[in-house]
């Protein structure tokens, strides 16, 4: 084989790789644009935000009781105020089940002091595995409050304990630091009221609280983050929730309901045995288990997404913390994917198996590596002189164009249908962010995803030593 | 190089489209902010006029007249007001709206404009009963989207019009009305108004189970003893959910004649029915079944044990004695169910 | 003759305004706030004779505010009337147990509210 043949082979190979990368990118972007269209159609159908008083008038009578599940780990300083704001939610009938997950600080004492708790007993059925419960506390002053004191076990474990003790037919999982809108339950419960036979889970829109005014555990004025990273995440969240999740929900294959806010029919959680312990992405895993269960049993069911903002969460403002969060999310997605690998392209699971799992395979499992290959190979080809730079620039421009269209589109959805940002100025800032986001942030994100993939592969080999676990920040 | 040019055109086209989209959004925002401000101001004016009206200081033509033609605004303000206030002040406000011709404006809006606006007008019209209103609402019932139909039926009923239960059930069956919690609520109201119709509806073998469950549930709340026989007949239904609903309804009816049927349901093969039966015994206060409940404390299913213990607690002295006895003497599961039921009430085992 | 003071705590601006005017017309001196915490703060600043309290308010709900008010000897004798959209029996019972003098569900009759307030604390103090 001559040198010439070798060069020719390399050129063909590079063309093949380039073709694959281009095709994958084009497919992904077109899919996102299609999602944008689906989401905008769905949003138009339920045009405009009805006022709270209207929602109350229409739904309060028919609204089923809800149990709020609040896991708390070392929240001594904030738990009192968070709970007070939760207990003030606008909803006809709900209970708040707080779990002190073996905190090392005075979380339990703070609860006891604030609400004058006394030991109580409650009969319950263990439908989900959890660490040993040390005691239950109730308050004469707040009949809606139940506190569970248990051994440390992590967030999934704490939520399971709360699910066991909850008596309402619908449970709402959340983070101790989720900031809920006063009418969050009333809005999120609507699918359960409108389609009581089929709806088993409802996800709500989570938005970035940075830059908003927060008073006494709730967002009192919506604003735009001053921190640059948080600003980029604001756009990212709009895209993830208003565009992607709404579109997935329309397709009947929504697979993620944020751990920061989600409603589940307790019977559905019971059928799948609660959250799986020892996973990072327990929120996603639960929803996948629910899909799996109902598809296998061939029972009609729906997992629905509510686009109206119901929950706010503080986004990380430093690269280090954000990176850790993203790596963990990615690891969670990979764990769920590998655990339920059998659903991939399995006709029994319908669209969830084909489109839903197919998307995870392409975008989450392979995506970071394909992108990495691009970053490594392009300079290599360029050095070898077999790169057509004219085409390279053209394709970069196309992918930039797609990125901007999608980001602006997500912002447009929020602006035309929900309009929660206060003024023209903040809108302009967000639009600038929607453009800037396409330079660099995407690449950094890919690094974090690769890091998450690495963690996932290592974790497969050895289950690290068990340490006391706190809950990492809200998974969106 | 045509391909290259094409790619560049695509890229530039998309970027340009996104940028112009952004500018349009910004411009629309400016326009919208102004419109929203105008709308909020109009709403404020109407609310101020209503308050002035309550204090007897309102010049109708001057203060409310300019807004009387705006159907959605007027209906939303009215609904908001009516959700807060009743009595003489309500009558006062309705008379004022009537004298300004608002009902006619709302009726005209039923067939025009956005669905949200139509729905608000439908709901507001419930406050203005008249033959014209009923005719307009019936028009919506015969042609509107399911959600709007339901709202219209509700308004007709609220305004005193006749809405036959059979018609509602038939519409629910074919999907002309949405089968939702809201229609379930409406159904409950209709059944309470005409329990006799509900009883004959249940006699129809073709009524689907989902609707049957709703009607049974509603009959229990309606509290008409004439329903006793039909409820009892459903305790033997083939569908477990129907049986459970019938049993629950019997409990809420609180009639002693339900005793043999509840005793039978306590032995049902389906745990959901057994649990419902235990709960019903407690609801109806049938202390003659206390011993049957004690057997429920030994049930293999937690839900049944829990309901049996809770029901015993509700029965008062005879139940409490049995619970205390079970807490001391009975098997492990039964003793635990009994002592927890006692502890939840702060009573010693 | 000094007027009786009424404090209204409700997050609905329209309701606040209706009450403000109705109660003023009946001879009361009226102030209003929009949540439970603000109500407690206002009580510290200027002690009312009557508190008309909504249940579901942001920041601090009416039940919690009622509890705190009744716990504090300085404010425990303020007459509290609950005025709320919650219609459940258990809500009424728990409010009365906590020390509310009366409980009205929305929609309410303003004349009835005034009549009840007049009985609990007449507008013009003797």
């Amino acid at each position: 084989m001559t040198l010439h043949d070798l060069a020719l082979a390399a050129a063909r190979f590079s063309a093949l790789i380039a073709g694959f990368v281009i095709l994958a990118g084009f497919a992904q972007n077109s899919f996102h644009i299609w999602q944008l269209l689906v989401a905008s159609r769905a949003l138009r159908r339920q045009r405009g935000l009805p006022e709270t008083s209207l929602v109350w008038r229409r739904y309060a009578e028919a609204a089923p009781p809800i149990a709020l599940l609040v896991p708390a780990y070392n929240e001594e300083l904030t738990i009192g105020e968070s709970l007070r704001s939760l207990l003030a939610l606008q909803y006809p009938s709900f209970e708040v089940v707080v779990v002190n997950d073996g905190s090392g600080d005075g979380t339990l004492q703070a609860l006891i002091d604030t609400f004058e708790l006394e030991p109580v007993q409650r009969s319950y059925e263990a439908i989900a595995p959890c660490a040993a419960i040390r005691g239950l506390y109730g308050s004469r002053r707040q009949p809606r409050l139940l506190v569970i004191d248990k051994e440390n076990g992590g967030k999934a474990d704490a939520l399971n304990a709360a699910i066991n003790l909850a008596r309402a037919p619908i449970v709402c999982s959340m983070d101790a630091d989720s900031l809920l809108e006063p009418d969050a339950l009333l809005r999120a419960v609507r699918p359960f009221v409108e389609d009581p036979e089929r709806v088993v889970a409802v996800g709500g829109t989570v938005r970035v609280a940075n830059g908003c005014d927060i008073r006494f555990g709730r967002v009192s004025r919506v604003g735009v983050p001053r921190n640059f990273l948080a600003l980029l995440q604001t756009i990212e969240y709009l895209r993830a929730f208003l565009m992607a999740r709404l579109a997935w929900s329309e397709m009947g294959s929504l697979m993620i309901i944020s751990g920061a806010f989600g409603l589940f029919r307790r019977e559905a959680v019971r059928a799948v045995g609660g959250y799986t312990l020892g996973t990072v992405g327990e929120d996603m895993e639960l929803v996948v288990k629910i899909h799996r269960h109902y598809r296998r049993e061939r029972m009609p069911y729906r997992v629905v997404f509510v686009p109206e903002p119901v929950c706010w969460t503080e986004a990380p403002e430093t690269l280090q913390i954000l990176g850790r969060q993203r790596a963990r999310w990615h690891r969670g997605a990979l764990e769920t994917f590998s655990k339920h690998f059998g659903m991939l392209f399995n006709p029994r699971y319908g669209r969830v198996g084909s489109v839903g799992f197919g998307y995870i395979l392409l975008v989450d499992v392979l995506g970071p590596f394909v992108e990495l290959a691009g970053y490594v190979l392009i300079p290599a080809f360029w050095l070898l002189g077999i790169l057509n730079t004219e085409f390279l620039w053209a394709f970069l421009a196309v992918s930039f164009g797609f990125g901007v269209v999608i980001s602006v589109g997500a912002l447009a959805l929020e602006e035309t249908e929900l309009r929660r940002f206060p003024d023209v100025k903040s809108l302009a800032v967000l639009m600038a962010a929607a453009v800037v986001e396409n330079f660099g942030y995407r690449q950094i994100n890919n690094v974090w995803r690769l890091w998450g993939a690495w963690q996932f592969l290592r974790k497969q080999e050895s289950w690290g030593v068990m340490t006391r676990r706190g809950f990492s920040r809200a998974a969106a | 190089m045509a391909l290259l040019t094409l790619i560049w055109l695509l890229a530039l086209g998309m970027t340009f489209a996104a940028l112009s989209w952004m500018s349009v959004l910004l411009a629309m925002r400016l326009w919208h902010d102004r419109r929203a401000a105008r709308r909020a101001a109009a709403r404020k004016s109407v609310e101020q006029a209503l308050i002035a009206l309550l204090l007897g200081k309102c010049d109708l033509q001057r203060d409310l007249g300019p807004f009387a033609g705006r159907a959605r605004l007027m209906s939303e303000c009215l609904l908001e007001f009516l959700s807060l206030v009743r009595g003489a002040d309500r009558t006062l406000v309705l008379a004022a709206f009537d004298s300004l011709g608002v009902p006619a404006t709302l009726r005209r809006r039923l067939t025009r404009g956005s669905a949200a606006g139509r729905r608000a007008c439908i709901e507001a019209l419930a406050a203005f009963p008249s033959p014209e209103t009923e005719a307009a609402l019936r028009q919506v019932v015969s042609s509107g989207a399911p959600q709007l139909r339901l709202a219209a039926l509700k308004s007709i009923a609220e305004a005193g019009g006749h809405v036959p239960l059979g018609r509602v059930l038939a519409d629910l069956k074919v999907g002309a009305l949405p089968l939702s919690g809201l229609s379930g609520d409406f159904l409950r109201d209709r059944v309470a108004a005409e329990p006799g119709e509900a009883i004959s509806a249940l006699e129809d073998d073709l009524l689907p189970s989902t609707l049957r469950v709703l009607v049974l549930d509603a009959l229990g709340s309606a509290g008409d003893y004439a329903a006793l026989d039909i409820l009892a007949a459903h305790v033997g239904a083939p569908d477990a959910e129907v049986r459970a609903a019938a049993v629950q309804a019997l409990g809420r009816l609180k009639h002693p004649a339900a005793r043999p049927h509840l005793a039978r349901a306590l032995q049902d093969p389906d745990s959901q029915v057994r649990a419902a039966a235990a709960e019903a015994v407690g609801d109806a206060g049938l202390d003659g079944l206390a011993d049957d409940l004690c057997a429920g404390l030994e049930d293999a299913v937690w839900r049944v044990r829990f309901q049996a213990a809770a029901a015993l607690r509700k029965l008062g002295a005879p139940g409490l004695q049995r619970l205390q006895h079970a807490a001391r003497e009975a098997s492990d599961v039964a003793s635990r169910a009994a002592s927890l039921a006692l502890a939840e009430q702060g009573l010693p085992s | 003759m000094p007027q009786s003071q009424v404090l209204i705590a409700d997050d609905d601006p329209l309701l606040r305004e209706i009450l403000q005017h109705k109660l003023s017309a009946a001879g009361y001196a009226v102030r209003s706030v929009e949540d439970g915490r603000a109500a407690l703060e206002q009580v510290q600043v200027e002690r009312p004779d009557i508190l008309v309290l909504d249940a579901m308010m942001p920041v601090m709900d009416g039940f919690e505010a009622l509890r705190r008010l009744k716990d504090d000897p300085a404010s425990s004798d303020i007459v509290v009337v609950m005025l709320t959209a919650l219609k459940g029996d258990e809500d009424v019972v728990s409010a009365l147990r906590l020390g509310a003098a009366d409980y009205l569900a929305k929609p309410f009759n303003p004349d009835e509210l005034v009549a009840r307030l007049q009985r609990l604390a007449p507008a013009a103090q003797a």
Side-chain angles (χ1 to χ4, degrees):
Chain A
M1 195 192 272
T2 63
L3 203 64
H4 179 75
D5 287 341
L6 205 67
L8 208 67
R12 274 205 197 112
F13 178 68
S14 78
L16 207 71
I17 293 277
F20 180 74
V21 170
I22 289 165
L23 223 79
F26 194 77
Q28 194 187 335
N29 280 317
S30 313
F31 184 71
H32 285 158
I33 293 215
W34 181 70
Q35 279 192 324
L36 202 58
L37 294 175
V38 171
S40 85
R41 203 188 54 195
L43 271 175
R44 252 203 316 275
R45 209 176 43 228
Q46 36 196 304
R47 175 140 246 169
L49 279 178
E51 290 166 56
T52 308
S53 62
L54 203 84
V55 183
W56 173 268
R57 214 168 48 237
R58 284 180 187 155
Y59 292 89
E61 294 280 322
I66 296 180
L68 281 163
L69 319 177
V70 190
Y73 179 75
N74 290 353
E75 307 268 356
E76 183 180 358
L77 296 177
T78 53
I79 191 74
E81 187 149 292
S82 313
L83 283 182
R84 201 162 297 124
S85 129
L86 288 180
L87 288 164
L89 286 179
Q90 194 170 15
Y91 196 76
S93 156
F94 66 100
E95 63 174 344
V96 179
V97 183
V98 187
V99 186
N100 172 41
D101 191 43
S103 298
D105 66 352
T107 301
L108 182 64
Q109 198 53 47
L111 283 166
I112 291 176
D113 295 345
T114 315
F115 296 100
E116 293 179 16
L117 298 178
E118 296 161 5
V120 293
Q121 295 201 331
R122 185 185 271 206
S123 169
Y124 67 96
E125 179 184 23
I127 62 173
C130 68
I133 290 175
R134 295 193 285 232
L136 304 176
Y137 298 85
S139 163
R140 253 179 240 276
R141 308 163 48 114
Q142 267 300 357
R144 283 172 166 170
L145 182 67
L146 177 75
V147 175
I148 303 173
D149 180 37
K150 66 181 268 294
E151 306 281 337
N152 179 264
K155 187 178 172 194
D157 194 281
L159 285 169
N160 278 350
I163 287 166
N164 285 335
L165 265 302
R167 281 195 180 157
I170 292 175
V171 295
C172 172
S173 70
M174 55 179 293
D175 290 325
D177 55 2
S178 295
L179 302 167
L180 299 194
E181 289 280 298
D183 55 4
L185 294 178
L186 204 52
R187 289 186 187 279
V189 86
R190 280 169 62 186
F192 285 106
V193 174
E194 280 169 358
D195 193 357
E197 294 283 321
R198 289 187 300 169
V199 173
V200 293
V202 172
T205 304
V206 177
R207 300 184 56 163
V208 173
N210 308 46
C212 300
D213 291 347
I214 294 163
R215 263 183 80 238
F216 305 119
R218 73 186 195 105
V219 171
S220 56
R221 197 192 60 85
V222 180
V224 173
R226 294 216 185 80
N227 176 283
F228 184 62
L229 265 184
L231 185 64
L232 295 181
Q233 288 175 81
T234 304
I235 297 284
E236 212 184 359
Y237 273 55
L238 286 180
R239 218 173 36 214
F241 285 94
L242 279 187
M243 180 188 93
R245 291 195 192 175
L246 190 52
W248 284 117
S249 152
E250 287 291 301
M251 285 190 283
S253 37
L254 176 66
M255 288 205 287
I256 311 178
I257 285 180
S258 165
F261 185 88
L263 263 56
F264 298 89
R265 203 170 273 291
R266 190 169 177 270
E267 275 309 307
V269 178
R270 174 206 183 92
V272 300
Y275 287 94
T276 304
L277 301 182
T279 48
V280 206
E282 74 281 335
D283 42 3
M284 177 182 186
E285 213 265 345
L286 177 71
V287 182
V288 170
K289 278 204 293 191
I290 288 177
H291 277 295
R292 189 173 190 158
H293 171 77
Y294 282 92
R295 293 268 176 180
R296 203 169 39 204
E297 302 290 321
R298 297 183 192 284
M299 290 196 279
Y301 76 105
R302 280 174 67 205
V303 176
V304 187
F305 177 78
V306 185
E308 298 156 59
V310 287
C311 173
W312 303 79
T313 188
E314 204 79 31
E317 296 198 335
T318 66
L319 279 175
Q320 194 194 8
I321 300 176
L322 181 63
R324 237 183 279 154
Q325 182 195 50
R326 292 309 155 93
R328 199 181 54 248
W329 287 0
H330 193 68
R331 198 173 109 204
L334 292 180
E335 264 183 24
T336 304
F337 181 76
S338 70
K339 197 154 178 264
H340 299 279
F341 185 73
M343 289 171 75
L344 180 67
F345 300 135
N346 185 334
R348 174 189 248 177
Y349 300 108
R351 277 191 202 162
V352 179
S354 56
V355 190
F357 265 71
Y359 182 86
I360 300 186
L361 174 69
L362 282 180
V363 175
D364 289 325
V365 180
L366 300 178
F369 294 101
V370 173
E371 221 172 303
L372 178 70
Y375 300 138
V376 174
L377 289 178
I378 288 171
F381 290 159
W382 183 72
L383 283 177
L384 288 173
I386 47 180
L387 189 79
N388 187 331
T389 36
E390 277 184 329
F391 269 100
L392 176 68
W393 288 117
F395 279 116
L396 279 180
V398 169
S399 82
F400 167 76
F402 265 121
V404 176
V405 166
I406 292 164
S407 302
V408 170
L411 194 57
L413 287 184
E414 132 70 41
E415 175 56 21
T416 45
E417 309 298 339
L418 304 174
R419 211 171 281 117
R420 287 297 294 263
F421 292 108
D423 48 31
V424 181
K425 195 181 141 220
S426 52
L427 194 62
V429 173
L430 284 163
M431 288 187 167
V435 176
V436 173
E437 186 206 24
N438 291 286
F439 299 101
Y441 185 60
R442 188 192 159 97
Q443 287 71 26
I444 298 174
N445 237 316
N446 197 55
V447 173
W448 291 329
R449 282 147 64 98
L450 285 167
W451 182 20
W454 168 246
Q455 284 178 351
F456 168 72
L457 292 171
R458 274 196 30 201
K459 188 88 185 286
Q460 290 298 87
E461 287 166 20
S462 67
W463 282 92
V465 254
M466 289 282 280
T467 48
R468 288 181 79 79
R469 274 167 294 176
F471 319 135
S472 20
R473 298 209 45 94
Chain B
M1 180 153 261
L3 182 61
L4 195 63
T5 326
L6 209 68
I7 297 171
W8 271 107
L9 275 178
L10 180 66
L12 291 175
M14 278 193 301
T15 315
F16 178 74
L19 289 176
S20 34
W21 196 0
M22 279 165 43
S23 335
V24 170
L25 282 179
L26 286 175
M28 272 173 52
R29 181 55 178 269
L30 276 175
W31 174 75
H32 181 271
D33 278 355
R34 275 202 207 116
R35 207 176 63 144
R38 275 204 304 274
R39 203 179 267 170
R43 182 143 186 179
K44 189 85 204 152
S45 308
V46 174
E47 287 176 1
Q48 289 302 328
L50 289 180
I51 288 167
L53 187 66
L54 298 190
L55 299 172
K57 295 179 194 157
C58 175
D59 178 339
L60 275 187
Q61 284 308 330
R62 189 197 63 204
D63 298 338
L64 268 179
F67 306 101
R70 294 169 67 176
R72 184 169 179 183
L73 173 73
M74 291 306 263
S75 55
E76 283 177 351
C77 286
L78 184 66
L79 287 170
E80 167 87 31
F81 184 80
L82 295 185
S83 74
L84 298 177
V85 171
R86 59 185 178 82
D89 292 325
R90 177 181 194 268
T91 321
L92 197 66
V93 167
L94 292 182
F97 272 51
D98 216 1
S99 74
L100 288 171
V102 174
T105 310
L106 300 191
R107 286 195 292 264
R108 280 196 297 276
R109 178 67 167 72
L110 293 187
T111 46
R112 286 203 304 254
S114 71
R118 288 185 197 196
R119 190 163 170 189
C121 292
I122 292 171
E123 288 170 344
L125 273 173
F128 301 105
S130 76
E132 293 89 352
T133 296
E134 188 166 332
L137 289 172
R138 294 226 180 260
Q139 191 66 38
V140 179
V141 174
S142 60
S143 62
Q147 286 291 353
L148 294 183
R149 276 171 200 236
L150 178 62
L153 282 176
K154 269 188 181 163
S155 284
I156 293 174
E158 219 176 296
H162 182 62
V163 180
L165 182 69
R167 166 77 198 274
V168 177
L169 287 173
D171 280 358
L172 283 169
K173 206 154 120 185
V174 299
L177 284 177
L179 190 59
S180 71
L182 295 184
S183 49
D185 242 28
F186 178 59
L187 200 62
R188 197 161 301 137
D189 292 345
R190 296 324 307 148
V191 170
E194 297 161 65
E197 274 198 57
I199 292 170
S200 42
L202 285 173
E203 282 160 359
D204 177 4
D205 289 334
L206 295 176
L207 189 69
S209 299
T210 38
L211 293 180
R212 203 171 279 275
V213 167
L214 286 175
V215 176
L216 286 168
D217 173 58
L219 260 182
S221 321
D224 183 352
Y225 288 151
L228 195 69
D229 287 336
I230 192 84
L231 292 182
H234 278 81
V235 176
D239 185 331
E241 267 180 56
V242 172
R243 294 203 298 280
V247 164
Q248 260 160 357
L250 279 175
R252 256 176 288 145
L253 213 54
K254 301 193 202 309
H255 195 289
R259 183 175 158 174
H261 309 293
L262 292 183
R264 177 156 60 108
L266 281 170
Q267 309 293 330
D268 198 278
D270 190 286
S271 68
Q272 180 191 348
V273 181
R274 293 198 301 277
E279 193 181 357
V281 173
D283 284 347
L286 297 173
D287 48 16
L289 290 178
D291 288 322
D292 302 64
L293 285 178
C294 282
L297 291 177
E298 307 272 1
D299 202 284
V301 178
W302 175 83
R303 179 119 229 120
V304 182
R305 297 198 297 273
F306 170 70
Q307 290 294 3
L312 279 168
R313 206 173 57 200
K314 272 197 219 160
L315 290 183
L320 288 178
Q321 275 164 17
R322 283 179 178 78
L323 273 180
Q324 274 155 350
H325 179 79
R328 283 192 312 270
E329 318 270 331
S331 71
D332 261 5
V333 279
S335 148
R336 185 164 163 73
S339 50
L340 274 172
L342 289 167
E344 273 185 45
Q345 284 301 83
L347 300 166
S349 301
Chain C
M1 245 183 330
Q3 285 178 303
S4 284
Q5 296 268 346
V6 179
L7 176 64
I8 299 161
D10 198 303
D11 57 339
D12 183 338
L14 179 61
L15 185 100
R16 284 203 302 272
E17 213 159 331
I18 293 175
L19 281 184
Q20 181 101 35
H21 288 97
K22 275 279 173 183
L23 296 180
S24 303
Y28 289 99
V30 188
R31 281 190 188 284
S32 61
V33 292
E34 55 186 274
D35 65 62
R37 187 181 296 253
L40 293 181
E41 281 162 10
Q42 179 62 28
V43 165
Q44 298 297 324
V45 178
E46 188 181 17
R47 196 178 173 288
D49 301 286
I50 305 176
L51 171 61
V52 177
L53 192 59
D54 185 17
M56 286 174 302
M57 293 179 285
V59 184
M60 186 192 287
D61 71 285
F63 292 107
E64 177 77 16
L66 174 58
R67 225 166 272 131
R68 294 189 173 212
L69 200 75
K70 292 291 168 184
D71 275 356
D72 183 353
S75 60
S76 64
D77 57 335
I78 294 175
V79 174
V80 179
V81 174
M82 298 292 289
L83 179 60
T84 152
L86 289 176
K87 300 182 177 85
D89 286 346
E90 54 296 9
D91 296 311
V92 181
V93 171
S94 74
L96 295 178
R97 277 213 182 121
L98 286 168
D102 213 335
Y103 190 106
L104 270 81
K106 294 176 193 167
F108 71 107
N109 182 346
D111 298 330
E112 180 187 344
L113 177 72
V114 170
R116 284 176 189 262
L117 293 191
Q118 287 286 13
R119 196 171 52 85
L120 293 165
Q125 289 169 345

